Amino acid sequence: MGGREATMVLMDENGKRCDGRTVDEPRRIMIKAGGLKNADGSSYIEFGDNKILVGVFGPRDVHPKHMSDTDTGILRVRYHMEPFSVGERKNPAPSRREIEISKVIKEALEPAVMLEKFPRTAVDVFIEVLQADGGTRCAALTAASVALADAGIPMRDMVAAIAAGKVADTVILDVNNEEDQAGQADMPIGYMPNLEKITLLQLDGVLTPEEYKKCIQVGVDGCKLVYELQKKALNDKYFGNKGD
Ligand code: CDP
């Protein structure tokens, strides 16, 4: 973020972005509910060139037991990047970045999941990033929400996510890797579309107050598009005879 490759053309004179998209055009998004037979719920997402698999287990006993809560269930999230998921091999040891992303995804999902119905138990969400191309936390959060629903975990709403951002002084939807590296701002947003509540908001970069408001608006509109695809994934599995 912040012009590390200032010479790169992120937007041409026709307003087309480096991958040919218009300013408010998301990348191609494909979500599949189910797929992992040993998980209680699962999903797979392709979000542009991001490819991410999610497995959900639980509600189940908590080990070690002292981590359990007598009043409510707990949510545990592990976001993990495969060493081969990025151009330069990633060290397999958990990085600070993976620990941070696990935490923000957990906190973004908690308002949606009715954990209070399952005291003393844990719901575990395992996220495997097979291929990364910018925006993995949003793609992972979107897929995790589908996997939780697939596991039959009661939820108040889905959480849909996408990033807004700024390149060439223009607010854009769905920041790709080049735009993340060389652009001016990246703002991941997680949103519950029925409750109209934001559960994830981060900002890397600098925005004016007007740009900030526009990013929120563009991002929330993008989340509503993502939500339609989440519903489609679940409908395809449970009502479309296309699932497992
Ligand atoms: O993926 P997301 O945008 O949520 O998180 P980020 O920390 O802003 O990372 C942006 C992108 O940098 C990732 O999606 C990867 O494509 C890339 N990356 C990488 O090439 N090598 C890493 N060790 C970590 C991230």
Side-chain angles (χ1 to χ4, degrees), residues 50 79 81 86 90 97 101 132-138 177 180-181 186:
N50 294 300
Y79 165 101
M81 256 183 159
V86 285
K90 188 211 149 270
R97 176 180 169 275
I101 294 180
D133 189 46
T136 57
R137 78 194 63 205
C138 290
N177 194 38
D180 184 39
Q181 300 301 319
D186 177 27

Side-chain angles (χ1 to χ4, degrees), residues 137-163:
R137 78 194 63 205
C138 290
L141 175 53
T142 296
S145 199
V146 171
L148 284 163
D150 183 50
I153 310 285
M155 293 167 79
R156 294 179 180 84
D157 201 349
M158 297 292 280
V159 183
I162 198 162

Side-chain angles (χ1 to χ4, degrees), residues 201-234:
L201 184 62
Q202 296 186 282
L203 173 61
D204 182 11
V206 178
L207 298 170
T208 65
E210 289 70 34
E211 287 166 345
Y212 176 82
K213 280 187 207 142
K214 186 146 190 224
C215 274
I216 299 270
Q217 191 199 327
V218 164
V220 165
D221 287 347
C223 288
K224 291 178 184 169
L225 294 174
V226 172
Y227 174 56
E228 293 305 314
L229 301 171
Q230 290 177 306
K231 283 194 293 186
K232 181 179 181 307
L234 291 162

Side-chain angles (χ1 to χ4, degrees), residues 49-50 81-91 97 129-134 136 177-178 181:
D49 284 337
N50 294 300
M81 256 183 159
E82 297 297 339
F84 54 79
S85 64
V86 285
E88 196 172 310
R89 181 182 179 275
K90 188 211 149 270
N91 187 322
R97 176 180 169 275
V129 179
L130 309 176
Q131 188 169 286
D133 189 46
T136 57
N177 194 38
E178 283 77 38
Q181 300 301 319

Side-chain angles (χ1 to χ4, degrees), residues 2 23 30 67 76 89-90 96 105 111 151 157 176 185 191 205:
V23 287
M30 189 283 291
M67 282 181 69
R76 299 187 291 200
R89 181 182 179 275
K90 188 211 149 270
R96 284 175 57 175
I105 291 178
D157 201 349
N176 70 22
Y191 180 69

